[in-house]
Amino acid sequence: MKTILVPTDFSAPAKNAANYAINLAQNIKAGLILCHAIKIPSETPMAAQVAWPLEDYTSLKADADKELEQLSVTLQQESPYAKAGSGHNVITTYCDVGEVVDVVTGKIDEEKSVMVVMGMSGAGAMSRFFLGSNTQDMISDAAFPVLLIPSQAKYHPVTKIAFATDLNSSDIEMIHSVASLARYFNAELLIAHVTDEKYETGDEKQQVEAFLNEVTCKANYPKIYYRHIKGTGIMRGLDWLSEHGVIDMLVMVHRKVNPLERLFGISYTKKLSHHIEIPLLVLPEGLPPLHF
C-alpha cells in the first residue's frame, strides 16, 4: 500500500495537516505514517561532546510514542476511512532522533512514500517546529513532493489544481505527475503562466503553443487548461493566483539554482509559503516521473 508521511510536533497546525492528510489518503487510497522527530538539545557549543543521558531519550521517546498513538486514535475516530481496516492498518506511527528533515528523509527512503504532508503556521502563530525553519528546510532539501497545509486550511474535495510554470521544458514531466493526482478527483488542472507586464512577444507565443502541445501529448488528461496571468511582478501574480484563482491547491517547482536565473527559484516558493492560505504542493526540480 502506498503511503503519505505526516511529520508532526503535535501542535495545532500539525494536527490540522494530519486531518487534511487522512482525507487526501482516502481519495488516493494510501496509508498514513505519522512521524515525529526527537531533537537532541544542541544550544551550547559543547552539546555535541556531551553524552545524552539514555533515560532522557527513553522518557522523550515514550512521551512521543504516546502522543503519536493518541493522534492516530483521534484520526481513526474522525475518519471512516481510517476505521475501515480491510486487513491492514491505515495509520502507522514512527519516531526517531534527529533533525526533522533528516528523520523524514530517512523514512521516505525506506517506505517510498508518495509525498510528505506537513503543517505550517500562519503569520504570527507560535509552533515548536513549523514556525518557519523546518518548512523552509524541507522546501530546500526535499527530494520528494511536499504538500504544505496552512494552519487555517480545511480539507474539501479538490476540484481545481493550478500548476505555476515559467514554461521550462522540465515542467512537462512534473505536470504529467500532477495529472495523476488530479485524476483521483476528476479535477481541473490549470497551467498558469505567471509573468510581469513586459510579456508577450511573437516568439513567446510560439513557446506557449509548443509547451502546451507537448503537455497535451504527455499528460493525456482531458481537463487541462491554460491561463496567462500578468502582474506587476511575479510575486504579485502568484499571490493573485492563490487568492483569486478559485483553486484548491497550488503546485510549484522548487529549483535549486540562483533565483535571479529562473522565474520560480527559491525565493518565490519560500516567500509564498509564508502567507499562502491554500495548500501548496512543492515539487523538487528533477523529480522522477511519479504516479500519485
Side-chain angles (χ1 to χ4, degrees):
M1 187 182 195
K2 63 188 172 187
T3 56
I4 294 172
L5 192 144
V6 183
T8 180
D9 63 351
F10 312 114
S11 63
K15 290 177 180 177
N16 182 57
N19 195 340
Y20 190 101
I22 191 63
N23 284 283
L24 180 64
Q26 179 175 0
N27 280 275
I28 71 173
K29 301 299 183 289
L32 213 65
I33 302 173
L34 301 175
C35 175
H36 179 71
I38 300 174
K39 188 173 181 180
I40 298 175
S42 58
E43 284 78 13
T44 65
M46 294 298 292
Q49 303 173 33
V50 177
W52 202 36
L54 179 61
E55 58 268 25
D56 286 358
Y57 166 76
T58 303
S59 175
L60 288 173
K61 178 76 162 58
D63 290 345
D65 285 338
K66 184 177 180 179
E67 289 202 73
L68 285 169
E69 182 58 31
Q70 182 55 55
L71 178 56
S72 174
V73 169
T74 300
L75 291 174
Q76 290 176 50
Q77 291 173 343
E78 297 176 353
S79 170
Y81 175 65
K83 286 188 287 189
S86 70
H88 57 264
N89 292 328
V90 173
I91 303 176
T92 58
T93 63
Y94 176 73
C95 181
D96 200 0
V97 175
E99 298 292 336
V100 176
V101 175
D102 296 335
V103 171
V104 167
T105 299
K107 194 61 176 174
I108 282 281
D109 291 343
E110 177 186 335
E111 299 290 339
K112 308 302 180 188
S113 300
V114 293
M115 73 168 77
V116 163
V117 177
M118 65 186 293
M120 53 184 178
S121 299
M126 293 302 294
S127 167
R128 281 172 285 174
F129 279 167
F130 299 110
L131 183 56
S133 62
N134 285 279
T135 300
Q136 302 305 307
D137 289 346
M138 197 71 74
I139 290 174
S140 295
D141 301 334
F144 40 80
V146 178
L147 179 60
L148 302 172
I149 309 299
S151 58
Q152 301 304 315
K154 303 301 179 185
Y155 180 85
H156 57 83
V158 178
T159 60
K160 190 174 184 180
I161 301 172
F163 188 108
T165 181
D166 57 356
L167 304 183
N168 188 300
S169 60
S170 65
D171 285 355
I172 294 171
E173 225 22 284
M174 303 281 196
I175 293 170
H176 178 45
S177 294
V178 174
S180 73
L181 179 62
R183 279 191 176 91
Y184 288 105
F185 304 93
N186 194 31
E188 294 181 4
L189 178 51
L190 175 67
I191 309 302
H193 184 201
V194 183
T195 67
D196 60 31
E197 293 177 337
K198 300 175 183 177
Y199 172 85
E200 202 94 55
T201 67
D203 289 343
E204 287 167 330
K205 287 181 180 179
Q206 291 180 0
Q207 183 185 8
V208 170
E209 291 178 3
F211 184 87
L212 293 177
N213 285 337
E214 196 167 349
V215 164
T216 302
C217 294
K218 186 71 177 178
N220 191 28
Y221 184 62
K223 302 187 76 171
I224 294 180
Y225 306 92
Y226 171 80
R227 183 170 184 178
H228 175 209
I229 298 172
K230 288 184 181 181
T232 55
I234 303 301
M235 198 66 234
R236 288 193 179 184
L238 289 170
D239 284 337
W240 186 94
L241 176 62
S242 63
E243 294 170 8
H244 305 291
V246 195
I247 56 178
D248 304 302
M249 184 184 298
L250 177 61
V251 185
M252 293 181 66
V253 176
H254 171 63
R255 308 198 194 283
K256 295 185 179 182
V257 297
N258 187 320
L260 297 177
E261 297 174 4
R262 299 276 183 83
L263 291 180
F264 295 98
I266 185 172
S267 60
Y268 294 112
T269 309
K270 287 191 173 182
K271 285 178 182 177
L272 194 62
S273 72
H274 282 302
H275 61 268
I276 191 170
E277 296 182 358
I278 61 173
L280 173 64
L281 178 59
V282 180
L283 305 178
E285 186 175 31
L287 181 72
L290 173 70
H291 190 281
F292 286 98

PDB file of all heavy atoms in Angstrom, residues 63-87:
ATOM      1  N   ASP A  63       7.047   9.467  25.674  1.00  0.00           N
ATOM      2  CA  ASP A  63       6.062  10.553  25.575  1.00  0.00           C
ATOM      3  C   ASP A  63       5.631  10.765  24.125  1.00  0.00           C
ATOM      4  O   ASP A  63       4.437  10.952  23.839  1.00  0.00           O
ATOM      5  CB  ASP A  63       6.650  11.853  26.126  1.00  0.00           C
ATOM      6  CG  ASP A  63       6.822  11.827  27.635  1.00  0.00           C
ATOM      7  OD1 ASP A  63       6.239  10.937  28.285  1.00  0.00           O
ATOM      8  OD2 ASP A  63       7.563  12.690  28.162  1.00  0.00           O
ATOM      9  N   ALA A  64       6.609  10.748  23.208  1.00  0.00           N
ATOM     10  CA  ALA A  64       6.297  10.954  21.791  1.00  0.00           C
ATOM     11  C   ALA A  64       5.448   9.821  21.246  1.00  0.00           C
ATOM     12  O   ALA A  64       4.475  10.048  20.507  1.00  0.00           O
ATOM     13  CB  ALA A  64       7.585  11.090  20.985  1.00  0.00           C
ATOM     14  N   ASP A  65       5.789   8.581  21.590  1.00  0.00           N
ATOM     15  CA  ASP A  65       5.008   7.430  21.126  1.00  0.00           C
ATOM     16  C   ASP A  65       3.567   7.506  21.633  1.00  0.00           C
ATOM     17  O   ASP A  65       2.620   7.162  20.910  1.00  0.00           O
ATOM     18  CB  ASP A  65       5.649   6.123  21.603  1.00  0.00           C
ATOM     19  CG  ASP A  65       6.901   5.765  20.806  1.00  0.00           C
ATOM     20  OD1 ASP A  65       7.043   6.263  19.668  1.00  0.00           O
ATOM     21  OD2 ASP A  65       7.735   4.996  21.322  1.00  0.00           O
ATOM     22  N   LYS A  66       3.415   7.970  22.870  1.00  0.00           N
ATOM     23  CA  LYS A  66       2.077   8.100  23.443  1.00  0.00           C
ATOM     24  C   LYS A  66       1.265   9.152  22.681  1.00  0.00           C
ATOM     25  O   LYS A  66       0.081   8.940  22.378  1.00  0.00           O
ATOM     26  CB  LYS A  66       2.185   8.478  24.920  1.00  0.00           C
ATOM     27  CG  LYS A  66       0.844   8.554  25.638  1.00  0.00           C
ATOM     28  CD  LYS A  66       1.050   8.868  27.121  1.00  0.00           C
ATOM     29  CE  LYS A  66      -0.300   8.955  27.847  1.00  0.00           C
ATOM     30  NZ  LYS A  66      -0.110   9.240  29.297  1.00  0.00           N
ATOM     31  N   GLU A  67       1.898  10.290  22.376  1.00  0.00           N
ATOM     32  CA  GLU A  67       1.194  11.342  21.639  1.00  0.00           C
ATOM     33  C   GLU A  67       0.880  10.908  20.210  1.00  0.00           C
ATOM     34  O   GLU A  67      -0.182  11.244  19.669  1.00  0.00           O
ATOM     35  CB  GLU A  67       2.021  12.625  21.644  1.00  0.00           C
ATOM     36  CG  GLU A  67       2.080  13.324  22.998  1.00  0.00           C
ATOM     37  CD  GLU A  67       2.430  14.794  22.878  1.00  0.00           C
ATOM     38  OE1 GLU A  67       1.571  15.591  22.437  1.00  0.00           O
ATOM     39  OE2 GLU A  67       3.573  15.147  23.218  1.00  0.00           O
ATOM     40  N   LEU A  68       1.798  10.168  19.589  1.00  0.00           N
ATOM     41  CA  LEU A  68       1.553   9.651  18.242  1.00  0.00           C
ATOM     42  C   LEU A  68       0.357   8.702  18.244  1.00  0.00           C
ATOM     43  O   LEU A  68      -0.496   8.745  17.347  1.00  0.00           O
ATOM     44  CB  LEU A  68       2.791   8.937  17.705  1.00  0.00           C
ATOM     45  CG  LEU A  68       3.951   9.811  17.237  1.00  0.00           C
ATOM     46  CD1 LEU A  68       5.195   8.964  16.989  1.00  0.00           C
ATOM     47  CD2 LEU A  68       3.579  10.575  15.961  1.00  0.00           C
ATOM     48  N   GLU A  69       0.304   7.832  19.246  1.00  0.00           N
ATOM     49  CA  GLU A  69      -0.797   6.883  19.336  1.00  0.00           C
ATOM     50  C   GLU A  69      -2.120   7.607  19.559  1.00  0.00           C
ATOM     51  O   GLU A  69      -3.146   7.252  18.969  1.00  0.00           O
ATOM     52  CB  GLU A  69      -0.542   5.895  20.481  1.00  0.00           C
ATOM     53  CG  GLU A  69      -1.615   4.829  20.636  1.00  0.00           C
ATOM     54  CD  GLU A  69      -1.813   3.984  19.383  1.00  0.00           C
ATOM     55  OE1 GLU A  69      -0.835   3.784  18.634  1.00  0.00           O
ATOM     56  OE2 GLU A  69      -2.956   3.527  19.162  1.00  0.00           O
ATOM     57  N   GLN A  70      -2.094   8.643  20.400  1.00  0.00           N
ATOM     58  CA  GLN A  70      -3.317   9.404  20.653  1.00  0.00           C
ATOM     59  C   GLN A  70      -3.790  10.114  19.386  1.00  0.00           C
ATOM     60  O   GLN A  70      -4.992  10.153  19.091  1.00  0.00           O
ATOM     61  CB  GLN A  70      -3.087  10.423  21.765  1.00  0.00           C
ATOM     62  CG  GLN A  70      -4.344  11.229  22.131  1.00  0.00           C
ATOM     63  CD  GLN A  70      -5.524  10.349  22.497  1.00  0.00           C
ATOM     64  OE1 GLN A  70      -5.416   9.510  23.389  1.00  0.00           O
ATOM     65  NE2 GLN A  70      -6.644  10.528  21.816  1.00  0.00           N
ATOM     66  N   LEU A  71      -2.844  10.677  18.636  1.00  0.00           N
ATOM     67  CA  LEU A  71      -3.205  11.325  17.376  1.00  0.00           C
ATOM     68  C   LEU A  71      -3.784  10.312  16.399  1.00  0.00           C
ATOM     69  O   LEU A  71      -4.778  10.586  15.713  1.00  0.00           O
ATOM     70  CB  LEU A  71      -1.976  12.009  16.761  1.00  0.00           C
ATOM     71  CG  LEU A  71      -2.172  12.709  15.412  1.00  0.00           C
ATOM     72  CD1 LEU A  71      -3.281  13.752  15.486  1.00  0.00           C
ATOM     73  CD2 LEU A  71      -0.860  13.348  14.956  1.00  0.00           C
ATOM     74  N   SER A  72      -3.193   9.127  16.355  1.00  0.00           N
ATOM     75  CA  SER A  72      -3.696   8.063  15.491  1.00  0.00           C
ATOM     76  C   SER A  72      -5.127   7.680  15.876  1.00  0.00           C
ATOM     77  O   SER A  72      -6.002   7.528  15.007  1.00  0.00           O
ATOM     78  CB  SER A  72      -2.782   6.838  15.586  1.00  0.00           C
ATOM     79  OG  SER A  72      -3.323   5.747  14.866  1.00  0.00           O
ATOM     80  N   VAL A  73      -5.378   7.537  17.163  1.00  0.00           N
ATOM     81  CA  VAL A  73      -6.716   7.185  17.646  1.00  0.00           C
ATOM     82  C   VAL A  73      -7.726   8.268  17.276  1.00  0.00           C
ATOM     83  O   VAL A  73      -8.840   7.976  16.816  1.00  0.00           O
ATOM     84  CB  VAL A  73      -6.698   6.962  19.174  1.00  0.00           C
ATOM     85  CG1 VAL A  73      -8.118   6.869  19.731  1.00  0.00           C
ATOM     86  CG2 VAL A  73      -5.916   5.704  19.525  1.00  0.00           C
ATOM     87  N   THR A  74      -7.331   9.528  17.455  1.00  0.00           N
ATOM     88  CA  THR A  74      -8.221  10.642  17.119  1.00  0.00           C
ATOM     89  C   THR A  74      -8.588  10.625  15.645  1.00  0.00           C
ATOM     90  O   THR A  74      -9.767  10.791  15.278  1.00  0.00           O
ATOM     91  CB  THR A  74      -7.554  11.991  17.466  1.00  0.00           C
ATOM     92  OG1 THR A  74      -7.278  12.027  18.868  1.00  0.00           O
ATOM     93  CG2 THR A  74      -8.457  13.156  17.102  1.00  0.00           C
ATOM     94  N   LEU A  75      -7.605  10.420  14.784  1.00  0.00           N
ATOM     95  CA  LEU A  75      -7.870  10.379  13.345  1.00  0.00           C
ATOM     96  C   LEU A  75      -8.766   9.198  12.991  1.00  0.00           C
ATOM     97  O   LEU A  75      -9.648   9.305  12.126  1.00  0.00           O
ATOM     98  CB  LEU A  75      -6.552  10.295  12.570  1.00  0.00           C
ATOM     99  CG  LEU A  75      -5.660  11.535  12.611  1.00  0.00           C
ATOM    100  CD1 LEU A  75      -4.330  11.253  11.924  1.00  0.00           C
ATOM    101  CD2 LEU A  75      -6.342  12.723  11.945  1.00  0.00           C
ATOM    102  N   GLN A  76      -8.545   8.059  13.647  1.00  0.00           N
ATOM    103  CA  GLN A  76      -9.372   6.889  13.383  1.00  0.00           C
ATOM    104  C   GLN A  76     -10.816   7.117  13.813  1.00  0.00           C
ATOM    105  O   GLN A  76     -11.749   6.668  13.143  1.00  0.00           O
ATOM    106  CB  GLN A  76      -8.800   5.674  14.104  1.00  0.00           C
ATOM    107  CG  GLN A  76      -7.478   5.177  13.527  1.00  0.00           C
ATOM    108  CD  GLN A  76      -6.898   4.033  14.320  1.00  0.00           C
ATOM    109  OE1 GLN A  76      -7.585   3.067  14.608  1.00  0.00           O
ATOM    110  NE2 GLN A  76      -5.630   4.148  14.689  1.00  0.00           N
ATOM    111  N   GLN A  77     -10.995   7.829  14.906  1.00  0.00           N
ATOM    112  CA  GLN A  77     -12.343   8.123  15.380  1.00  0.00           C
ATOM    113  C   GLN A  77     -13.071   9.076  14.441  1.00  0.00           C
ATOM    114  O   GLN A  77     -14.293   8.994  14.287  1.00  0.00           O
ATOM    115  CB  GLN A  77     -12.283   8.728  16.786  1.00  0.00           C
ATOM    116  CG  GLN A  77     -11.839   7.740  17.854  1.00  0.00           C
ATOM    117  CD  GLN A  77     -11.617   8.411  19.204  1.00  0.00           C
ATOM    118  OE1 GLN A  77     -11.482   9.638  19.295  1.00  0.00           O
ATOM    119  NE2 GLN A  77     -11.582   7.616  20.270  1.00  0.00           N
ATOM    120  N   GLU A  78     -12.312   9.985  13.835  1.00  0.00           N
ATOM    121  CA  GLU A  78     -12.924  11.013  12.995  1.00  0.00           C
ATOM    122  C   GLU A  78     -13.042  10.618  11.537  1.00  0.00           C
ATOM    123  O   GLU A  78     -13.782  11.261  10.784  1.00  0.00           O
ATOM    124  CB  GLU A  78     -12.118  12.312  13.118  1.00  0.00           C
ATOM    125  CG  GLU A  78     -12.120  12.907  14.519  1.00  0.00           C
ATOM    126  CD  GLU A  78     -11.242  14.133  14.631  1.00  0.00           C
ATOM    127  OE1 GLU A  78     -10.529  14.445  13.647  1.00  0.00           O
ATOM    128  OE2 GLU A  78     -11.243  14.783  15.699  1.00  0.00           O
ATOM    129  N   SER A  79     -12.314   9.587  11.111  1.00  0.00           N
ATOM    130  CA  SER A  79     -12.286   9.231   9.693  1.00  0.00           C
ATOM    131  C   SER A  79     -12.848   7.830   9.436  1.00  0.00           C
ATOM    132  O   SER A  79     -12.276   6.845   9.919  1.00  0.00           O
ATOM    133  CB  SER A  79     -10.855   9.306   9.151  1.00  0.00           C
ATOM    134  OG  SER A  79     -10.777   8.749   7.852  1.00  0.00           O
ATOM    135  N   PRO A  80     -13.926   7.725   8.678  1.00  0.00           N
ATOM    136  CA  PRO A  80     -14.453   6.404   8.306  1.00  0.00           C
ATOM    137  C   PRO A  80     -13.412   5.569   7.556  1.00  0.00           C
ATOM    138  O   PRO A  80     -13.360   4.357   7.696  1.00  0.00           O
ATOM    139  CB  PRO A  80     -15.648   6.742   7.401  1.00  0.00           C
ATOM    140  CG  PRO A  80     -16.029   8.136   7.784  1.00  0.00           C
ATOM    141  CD  PRO A  80     -14.739   8.814   8.149  1.00  0.00           C
ATOM    142  N   TYR A  81     -12.571   6.250   6.763  1.00  0.00           N
ATOM    143  CA  TYR A  81     -11.542   5.545   6.002  1.00  0.00           C
ATOM    144  C   TYR A  81     -10.537   4.872   6.927  1.00  0.00           C
ATOM    145  O   TYR A  81     -10.179   3.715   6.733  1.00  0.00           O
ATOM    146  CB  TYR A  81     -10.821   6.519   5.081  1.00  0.00           C
ATOM    147  CG  TYR A  81      -9.655   5.935   4.319  1.00  0.00           C
ATOM    148  CD1 TYR A  81      -9.851   4.926   3.369  1.00  0.00           C
ATOM    149  CD2 TYR A  81      -8.346   6.386   4.534  1.00  0.00           C
ATOM    150  CE1 TYR A  81      -8.786   4.391   2.659  1.00  0.00           C
ATOM    151  CE2 TYR A  81      -7.286   5.860   3.825  1.00  0.00           C
ATOM    152  CZ  TYR A  81      -7.505   4.862   2.893  1.00  0.00           C
ATOM    153  OH  TYR A  81      -6.448   4.323   2.191  1.00  0.00           O
ATOM    154  N   ALA A  82     -10.104   5.576   7.966  1.00  0.00           N
ATOM    155  CA  ALA A  82      -9.123   5.030   8.900  1.00  0.00           C
ATOM    156  C   ALA A  82      -9.714   3.875   9.706  1.00  0.00           C
ATOM    157  O   ALA A  82      -9.012   2.955  10.110  1.00  0.00           O
ATOM    158  CB  ALA A  82      -8.619   6.120   9.839  1.00  0.00           C
ATOM    159  N   LYS A  83     -11.043   3.906   9.932  1.00  0.00           N
ATOM    160  CA  LYS A  83     -11.690   2.852  10.704  1.00  0.00           C
ATOM    161  C   LYS A  83     -11.974   1.605   9.866  1.00  0.00           C
ATOM    162  O   LYS A  83     -12.210   0.534  10.404  1.00  0.00           O
ATOM    163  CB  LYS A  83     -13.017   3.368  11.291  1.00  0.00           C
ATOM    164  CG  LYS A  83     -12.838   4.326  12.462  1.00  0.00           C
ATOM    165  CD  LYS A  83     -14.161   4.654  13.133  1.00  0.00           C
ATOM    166  CE  LYS A  83     -15.012   5.563  12.291  1.00  0.00           C
ATOM    167  NZ  LYS A  83     -16.201   6.059  13.017  1.00  0.00           N
ATOM    168  N   ALA A  84     -11.961   1.775   8.541  1.00  0.00           N
ATOM    169  CA  ALA A  84     -12.379   0.689   7.650  1.00  0.00           C
ATOM    170  C   ALA A  84     -11.546  -0.571   7.802  1.00  0.00           C
ATOM    171  O   ALA A  84     -12.057  -1.685   7.784  1.00  0.00           O
ATOM    172  CB  ALA A  84     -12.353   1.172   6.199  1.00  0.00           C
ATOM    173  N   GLY A  85     -10.230  -0.416   7.933  1.00  0.00           N
ATOM    174  CA  GLY A  85      -9.371  -1.577   8.167  1.00  0.00           C
ATOM    175  C   GLY A  85      -9.003  -2.313   6.907  1.00  0.00           C
ATOM    176  O   GLY A  85      -7.964  -2.070   6.314  1.00  0.00           O
ATOM    177  N   SER A  86      -9.822  -3.243   6.466  1.00  0.00           N
ATOM    178  CA  SER A  86      -9.580  -4.103   5.308  1.00  0.00           C
ATOM    179  C   SER A  86      -8.282  -4.903   5.436  1.00  0.00           C
ATOM    180  O   SER A  86      -7.528  -5.062   4.481  1.00  0.00           O
ATOM    181  CB  SER A  86      -9.558  -3.282   4.002  1.00  0.00           C
ATOM    182  OG  SER A  86      -8.432  -2.454   3.912  1.00  0.00           O
ATOM    183  N   GLY A  87      -8.006  -5.390   6.657  1.00  0.00           N
ATOM    184  CA  GLY A  87      -6.879  -6.312   6.831  1.00  0.00           C
ATOM    185  C   GLY A  87      -5.543  -5.661   7.097  1.00  0.00           C
ATOM    186  O   GLY A  87      -4.549  -6.354   7.268  1.00  0.00           O
TER     187      GLY A  87
END
